[in-house]
Amino acid sequence: MTRRQVLTSAAGISIAGASIATASAATATDHSAAEASERVPEFWYQDNNLGLGGRGVPTDFFSRYDDLDSWALARAQMHTFALEQGTFVRQGLSERPAFLEKMAAAHAGMNFCYNVTQAVAWWWPHYNETGEVPEGPPDYTTTINHLRQLRSTGFTITDVILQSVLAKPGPGRFLGYSMERRIRDVVEFYDQVRPEFPDVRIGIIDPLPGQFPWQDAYRFLKDELRSNGHELDFIHFDKPFDRVRLERNTPHGVITWDRMVEVGEFVKNELGLTFGLQCVDEQAGKTSSNDFRKHTLEGLANYVAHGGTADRYILWPFFPHPEHSTPDDLGALPPEGASQMRIFRELARGVPARRYP
C-alpha cells in the first residue's frame, strides 16, 4: 500500500470535487488507480465535540442517521470516518447496539478510525489519588473491548489514532510524564492491540511536544516501535491555523506557514510516514460556524500556497462551533451558519486536490 492512498475507488466514490463517480470511473484500470493513489490525498472526518470532550457531539449527531440523504454527498467524499473514544463512552454508544448498527451501515463504504484517548489517560485516576504516575504497565483492555464491539457491529476498522500521546499534560497541567515513559506506553499499546488487530494501522496525533524537540521525539517514537517489532503508520499534525493567522506564541515560538510545511516534509521525507494535517481554526471556532468555515478554508489555502502537501486532511473541530453537522448542501450560507459536513465538502473539493503533486 502506498503512502498516499487513493480514495475508495472500488466503491465508486468520486475524488476531490465531484459528488458521485460515474460508472466508467468505477471501472478504471489498475494503472489509473495507481496514478490516483500517488496524486490524491485522503479526506477524513471526525465530529466536533463542541469543546466538551466526549460530553459534546453535534446537535444532529443521532438524528442524522435517520436522514442519510442530508449528508450523502459528504459521505461520498469521506475516505475515513473517525470516532473519538470519549464520544463512544460518554454518549453511551456501547449500550445502544441498534444505533451502532445504523452508524456502521451508513459508513460501510469507507474506512473507520477509532481515536483513542486511553493511551495517555490510563494513569489519571491513580494520579488524582496519589499525585504520581503508576509504574504500570498500562492495561488497554478497555480500548480492545471497544474495538471488538465496533468490529462485531460491522465497522471496518482500518486505523487507530493515539490522541496527543507525546504532548497531553494530564490532570492539573501535570508535566511529569516523561517522553521516555510516554513512548514506552505507546509501545505497550502496540504490544497489546496488534496481536488481535494485526492489519489495523496505528499512529499518533500531535501538536508538537512542548517538553522535547519534536524531531527527536518523532524519531525516538519510530525507532522504539521498530526495535520492538512494530511500525509507526502515520503522524497527524494538530496545530490550529489561528496560531499562524494571529501570530500566536507557542512553546516552539511563533508558528509560520513555512514551519507548518516543515513538519509535514519531515514526517513524509525524513521519517517516510503518512502525514495528516488537522484542518481547524480555534479562535474562529469560538466565534461562529461561518467564521470557522472562512478561516479554516483560508488557512488551508495558505498552507498549500506555501508549498504544503499532506497525505490526508482531517476536519475535526473541537470548539463551540460548528454546532451541527448537516446538511451538506453547498448553496447559500444558512442563517444558522455553515454545517460541518458542508465545510468538509468544500475542503475536499478545494485547493488540496487541485494542487497536490
Side-chain angles (χ1 to χ4, degrees), residues 41-342:
E42 302 169 359
F43 299 103
W44 286 35
Y45 176 94
Q46 181 167 321
D47 279 308
N48 189 5
N49 64 24
L50 309 182
L52 300 173
R55 295 185 299 276
V57 291
T59 55
D60 55 355
F61 175 78
F62 292 99
S63 62
R64 74 180 184 220
Y65 287 97
D66 294 319
D67 186 12
L68 297 183
D69 289 345
S70 68
W71 52 299
L73 299 179
R75 290 202 314 284
Q77 292 177 284
M78 203 176 288
H79 180 277
T80 298
F81 174 81
L83 178 67
E84 185 184 15
Q85 188 171 33
T87 298
F88 182 83
V89 173
R90 294 189 176 187
Q91 300 300 323
L93 299 189
S94 63
E95 308 301 321
R96 304 179 68 160
F99 178 73
L100 279 180
E101 289 174 3
K102 276 187 183 180
M103 284 188 69
H107 298 293
M110 68 195 71
N111 293 346
F112 175 82
C113 176
Y114 198 46
N115 186 346
V116 172
T117 54
Q118 189 196 13
V120 73
W122 66 271
W123 49 270
W124 287 11
H126 181 89
Y127 173 82
N128 285 332
E129 292 180 6
T130 67
E132 298 179 352
V133 177
E135 286 300 313
D139 181 355
Y140 297 120
T141 302
T142 296
T143 294
I144 293 171
N145 286 338
H146 293 169
L147 292 170
R148 287 170 178 162
Q149 182 177 8
L150 289 165
R151 182 176 60 186
S152 66
T153 302
F155 289 93
T156 303
I157 303 174
T158 54
D159 299 86
V160 168
I161 305 176
L162 305 185
Q163 175 69 46
S164 302
V165 285
L166 302 186
K168 198 172 188 72
R173 308 298 296 174
F174 175 67
L175 297 175
Y177 191 27
S178 71
M179 186 60 63
E180 292 80 6
R181 181 59 189 275
R182 291 170 186 266
I183 289 176
R184 191 164 82 238
D185 287 348
V186 173
V187 172
E188 182 65 30
F189 185 91
Y190 277 70
D191 285 344
Q192 294 183 31
V193 173
R194 276 280 188 231
E196 188 165 343
F197 300 91
D199 299 323
V200 172
R201 296 179 292 258
I202 304 175
I204 68 168
I205 185 170
D206 186 68
L208 297 183
Q211 59 172 307
F212 211 84
W214 62 270
Q215 297 97 328
D216 293 345
Y218 292 171
R219 287 194 192 98
F220 185 11
L221 176 61
K222 179 185 175 183
D223 291 346
E224 282 298 299
L225 283 168
R226 180 164 287 180
S227 69
N228 284 273
H230 304 299
E231 292 293 335
L232 179 63
D233 288 303
F234 56 83
I235 294 177
H236 292 180
F237 181 44
D238 177 18
K239 189 64 68 177
F241 296 152
D242 59 283
R243 303 303 193 270
V244 183
R245 177 169 65 86
L246 302 177
E247 298 183 342
R248 295 175 63 177
N249 200 16
T250 76
H252 295 274
V254 176
I255 302 295
T256 64
W257 291 118
D258 289 338
R259 290 283 304 281
M260 296 276 283
V261 172
E262 177 191 2
V263 175
E265 294 305 299
F266 179 83
V267 171
K268 291 185 295 183
N269 299 327
E270 295 294 322
L271 299 182
L273 302 176
T274 294
F275 174 69
L277 180 69
Q278 179 89 349
C279 301
V280 294
D281 188 292
E282 179 178 5
Q283 189 61 41
K286 292 178 177 178
T287 305
S288 74
S289 297
N290 285 345
D291 280 352
F292 177 82
R293 169 188 174 271
K294 169 183 167 63
H295 289 296
T296 296
L297 296 177
E298 286 182 356
L300 183 51
N302 282 324
Y303 172 80
V304 173
H306 281 77
T309 58
D311 299 309
R312 57 183 62 142
Y313 295 90
I314 305 100
L315 182 65
W316 173 37
F318 39 99
F319 321 112
H321 307 281
E323 306 96 322
H324 52 101
S325 63
T326 60
D328 62 11
D329 180 70
L330 296 187
L333 287 171
E336 66 271 20
S339 71
Q340 188 177 340
M341 293 289 183
R342 177 210 170 104

